[in-house]
Amino acid sequence: MSSHLKSIITTLIFLIVLSCGNKKQETPSTLDEKPNIIFIMSDDHAYQAISAYENHLIQTPNIDRIAKEGILFSNASVTNSICAPSRATILTGKHTHINGKVDNLMPFDTTQVTFPQLFQKVGYQTAMFGKLHFGNNPKGVDDFMILPGQGHYINPDFITQNGDTTITGFATDIITDLTLNWLDQKRNPDKPFLLMYLHKAPHRPWWPTPEKFKEFRGKEFPLPNSLFDDYANRGSAAKTAEMNLLTHMKYSYDTKVWPETIAKMDQVLPEVPDLVNAFNNIIGRMTTEQRAQYKPLIDSISKDFEENWPTMTDEEKMIWKYQRYMQDYLACISSVDDNVGRVLDYLDSSGLTENTLVVYTSDQGFYLGEHGWFDKRFIYEESFRTPLLIRWPNAIEPGITNDEMVQNLDFAQTFLEAAQIEVPEDMQGESLMPLLNSESDEWTRDAVYYHYYEYPAEHAVKRHYGIATKDYKLTHFYYDVDEWELYDRSKDPEEMFNVYHDTAYAEIVVGLKKKLEKLRVHYGDSDELNQHYIDLHNERMAQRH
């Protein structure tokens, strides 16, 4: 049987199962009051692209619903703003320098205990569908279908316990189909469950469905205030990072211009061959029907580019790239929101809502043109801050916004405490349960710790560690520089002015440095450990070349 025929049959089976499923009504009592947990995470979903946070770019009514019926955290952040390390922190409840996954290159320490293992050990059903991003056999998971590595948007491959398979369709829809199929057909209704529902979207290169592509293609979005930031009031790290929309965003791979169009234009530098190949591989994965749907849209973009790019000013080119970026990125978000709505509707129709804790988050924040950037990595606000919305009927008062300093480091402990499972002593976060129960007076954390390691590497964001409080952010860039930056978060929320050398902040710098050093000791980080990871990184980079 051909792989194409297999994919068609697999897709039909999923559709039949979903349409004919027997939905059994349940109440909390059937689960002995043990809550179900659904952990929903998208990849690179900026808080600015969730209307519960900011509504100037897109409306996300289904994701917003989690906040309206639960709690929205306005000060949630990550410990290391890059995909695989963030996921390792979530799974282990430990900083990346402890679990070993400091960057996308370093291997995850497989001796680490993950929270799904602890759920599985006490009798929870556990399942994972979508993007894990590291490892092909997730620990503590009874049933899974995960994308290999970054995965594909169109006709994605999946790793399963029974071998690899390819499913025809769009990743966001398929991951939701798999999730609903498990909920409706495969789980044991007499046992509580932990379900990880993990989207690839809206990770680069931002391929929407043809329908969403067409819907968002003509839309125009407001420009961020700092789109043309010249980094004049900051150190070398911001100036040398390679994620500027104008300079570093690719024409074919990112903005969907045909490589043939670019090749014949003298005014445009040739694309990097690897990324041209990557674009062509995406087109090559499409069925004939899919290609016919995408081609007119790509033709339109390419025609616009060829006719207008040569006469544009640099400012106009920057705006053109920003609009193309936003059209595709937000179209991917729109699909995520639609599919989150499908899952929430299923919980309602099946009677599972009342005893199910639902979390929506991202593995980190993302730049949507702020400071002229795309991507993440920095401790600066847009990549450091992450969306976090939690709903748990009868446990969380609806419509709460909380501004405490919380991190993805805290998720594992929170889920374990909610399920009344003993928390290992070596986990480093803090359970969010007091905040979910409106007992904020029990929350004592006033600062969080951050450390980014992946340098020298893609996007050239320098290594740095730092501390953030509600009022300030202090950062030390190291390795090939020795620079400090301080931002006054209340007076300068866009972080445009480094005030580290301003004498008016001298006492604040002294106090924050002391607090930073205490946090480093508390979490077991040190300069010696930094050097250890630098040496390992350099070894792996040498091996790759």
Side-chain angles (χ1 to χ4, degrees):
M1 185 184 294
S2 71
S3 60
H4 180 64
L5 183 57
K6 282 184 179 178
S7 69
I8 292 174
I9 292 171
T10 305
T11 304
L12 287 172
I13 290 170
F14 283 131
L15 292 173
I16 292 167
V17 164
L18 288 175
S19 63
C20 301
N22 177 28
K23 295 178 175 57
K24 187 178 291 185
Q25 295 294 317
E26 295 166 8
T27 63
S29 61
T30 66
L31 301 176
D32 295 325
E33 303 300 332
K34 286 277 190 179
N36 306 307
I37 296 175
I38 299 182
F39 179 74
I40 310 172
M41 183 165 68
S42 296
D43 195 313
D44 293 342
H45 191 171
Y47 66 87
Q48 311 95 286
I50 295 177
S51 48
Y53 285 93
E54 297 183 9
N55 61 10
H56 66 292
L57 291 174
I58 191 171
Q59 294 297 315
T60 52
N62 296 298
I63 297 171
D64 292 358
R65 179 180 160 192
I66 299 172
K68 289 176 182 175
E69 298 173 2
I71 185 169
L72 178 147
F73 287 90
S74 61
N75 234 338
S77 64
V78 296
T79 64
N80 184 355
S81 184
I82 187 168
C83 296
S86 175
R87 293 158 190 268
T89 290
I90 289 168
L91 286 170
T92 63
K94 299 173 187 176
H95 276 274
T96 50
H97 62 268
I98 300 296
N99 65 46
K101 190 65 178 167
V102 296
D103 58 30
N104 281 339
L105 301 174
M106 294 297 296
F108 175 64
D109 177 3
T110 56
T111 67
Q112 295 286 328
V113 174
T114 65
F115 77 81
Q117 288 176 276
L118 300 174
F119 274 82
Q120 187 184 55
K121 187 176 179 180
V122 300
Y124 264 75
Q125 298 173 92
T126 57
M128 178 184 292
F129 302 103
K131 181 177 178 180
L132 174 60
H133 195 192
F134 64 89
N136 295 342
N137 188 19
K139 298 170 69 175
V141 180
D142 301 327
D143 193 4
F144 65 85
M145 290 185 72
I146 58 174
L147 301 168
Q150 293 287 4
H152 295 285
Y153 274 106
I154 299 167
N155 305 333
D157 304 318
F158 285 90
I159 299 167
T160 79
Q161 289 110 320
N162 301 316
D164 297 353
T165 187
T166 301
I167 302 177
T168 301
F170 184 68
T172 305
D173 298 332
I174 294 167
I175 291 166
T176 307
D177 290 345
L178 297 172
T179 298
L180 291 171
N181 176 56
W182 186 86
L183 283 168
D184 197 64
Q185 295 293 317
K186 300 179 74 175
R187 68 182 182 86
N188 180 348
D190 296 323
K191 296 176 68 175
F193 63 83
L194 167 69
L195 172 61
M196 302 189 77
Y197 166 43
L198 311 174
H199 284 294
K200 169 183 172 60
H203 192 281
R204 189 184 188 191
W206 317 300
W207 274 89
T209 62
E211 296 78 14
K212 295 290 185 182
F213 203 156
K214 184 176 181 180
E215 177 187 347
F216 280 76
R217 169 73 179 97
K219 292 189 176 184
E220 187 170 319
F221 298 94
L223 307 181
N225 294 331
S226 58
L227 180 63
F228 297 102
D229 189 355
D230 62 3
Y231 321 117
N233 300 303
R234 284 188 279 185
S236 65
K239 295 180 177 72
T240 57
E242 296 176 358
M243 51 192 197
N244 184 271
L245 288 167
L246 178 61
T247 311
H248 303 113
M249 181 168 278
K250 307 305 178 185
Y251 300 107
S252 293
Y253 185 68
D254 291 322
T255 68
K256 319 298 189 296
V257 177
W258 290 117
E260 296 80 5
T261 300
I262 295 162
K264 67 183 181 182
M265 294 177 66
D266 295 335
Q267 302 88 351
V268 182
L269 291 174
E271 290 278 61
V272 178
D274 286 351
L275 292 182
V276 173
N277 291 337
F279 175 86
N280 288 331
N281 287 340
I282 293 168
I283 301 298
R285 292 188 68 83
M286 297 179 185
T287 65
T288 302
E289 182 182 354
Q290 289 167 339
R291 223 174 277 130
Q293 290 176 303
Y294 280 106
K295 186 178 182 301
L297 297 162
I298 302 174
D299 286 346
S300 170
I301 293 165
S302 301
K303 184 174 185 290
D304 177 38
F305 182 82
E306 184 176 8
E307 291 178 351
N308 295 299
W309 190 264
T311 60
M312 288 183 187
T313 64
D314 283 350
E315 181 176 308
E316 289 170 335
K317 289 176 179 178
M318 182 74 144
I319 293 171
W320 188 92
K321 278 193 168 182
Y322 168 77
Q323 296 296 350
R324 275 276 52 249
Y325 170 38
M326 286 297 92
Q327 288 164 7
D328 292 350
Y329 178 93
L330 295 171
C332 290
I333 296 291
S334 183
S335 286
V336 170
D337 187 68
D338 290 347
N339 280 281
V340 168
R342 291 173 62 199
V343 172
L344 296 179
D345 288 346
Y346 177 84
L347 296 180
D348 286 348
S349 65
S350 64
L352 285 168
T353 293
E354 290 303 307
N355 199 42
T356 300
L357 188 159
V358 177
V359 177
Y360 187 88
T361 191
S362 173
D363 50 356
Q364 61 264 318
F366 213 66
Y367 292 103
L368 303 185
E370 298 88 1
H371 310 295
W373 288 334
F374 64 100
D375 208 69
K376 57 253 183 180
R377 301 166 196 266
F378 275 114
I379 194 174
Y380 303 138
E381 192 69 3
E382 290 81 9
S383 62
F384 169 71
R385 185 175 164 194
T386 193
L388 178 59
L389 309 87
I390 303 177
R391 184 187 78 176
W392 190 6
N394 302 321
I396 299 175
E397 184 179 341
I400 296 174
T401 297
N402 186 283
D403 69 346
E404 295 293 349
M405 305 291 294
V406 303
Q407 285 192 297
N408 58 352
L409 184 70
D410 304 324
F411 295 171
Q413 289 91 318
T414 304
F415 302 152
L416 290 168
E417 184 174 335
Q420 303 165 46
I421 301 170
E422 185 177 354
V423 179
E425 291 183 359
D426 60 348
M427 283 188 172
Q428 295 184 305
E430 297 181 30
S431 170
L432 303 178
M433 287 297 288
L435 303 179
L436 303 186
N437 294 329
S438 300
E439 297 171 355
S440 295
D441 54 333
E442 296 183 19
W443 187 261
T444 59
R445 181 193 285 157
D446 61 356
V448 293
Y449 182 62
Y450 181 90
H451 198 153
Y452 175 79
Y453 299 83
E454 193 168 293
Y455 178 86
E458 185 180 7
H459 295 302
V461 172
K462 295 184 184 296
R463 292 171 183 257
H464 57 289
Y465 59 84
I467 182 175
T469 68
K470 288 183 180 179
D471 296 320
Y472 301 102
K473 195 179 290 179
L474 178 72
T475 308
H476 182 214
F477 292 91
Y478 68 96
Y479 180 68
D480 59 348
V481 294
D482 182 10
E483 298 177 357
W484 289 84
E485 295 184 2
L486 174 69
Y487 294 93
D488 187 325
R489 301 182 76 188
S490 57
K491 293 182 179 178
D492 179 25
E494 294 184 339
E495 297 174 332
M496 300 290 287
F497 300 96
N498 173 21
V499 293
Y500 179 79
H501 298 289
D502 187 333
T503 56
Y505 290 86
E507 289 186 15
I508 291 167
V509 167
V510 171
L512 286 174
K513 280 191 172 181
K514 289 180 179 177
K515 188 183 284 286
L516 173 60
E517 192 53 40
K518 286 182 179 179
L519 277 184
R520 297 190 78 202
V521 171
H522 174 70
Y523 290 122
D525 202 2
S526 66
D527 291 342
E528 291 76 20
L529 202 52
N530 291 352
Q531 189 59 52
H532 167 70
Y533 282 119
I534 288 169
D535 293 341
L536 288 177
H537 176 86
N538 291 340
E539 287 175 14
R540 293 187 70 84
M541 291 297 286
Q543 291 168 2
R544 292 181 72 186
H545 295 296

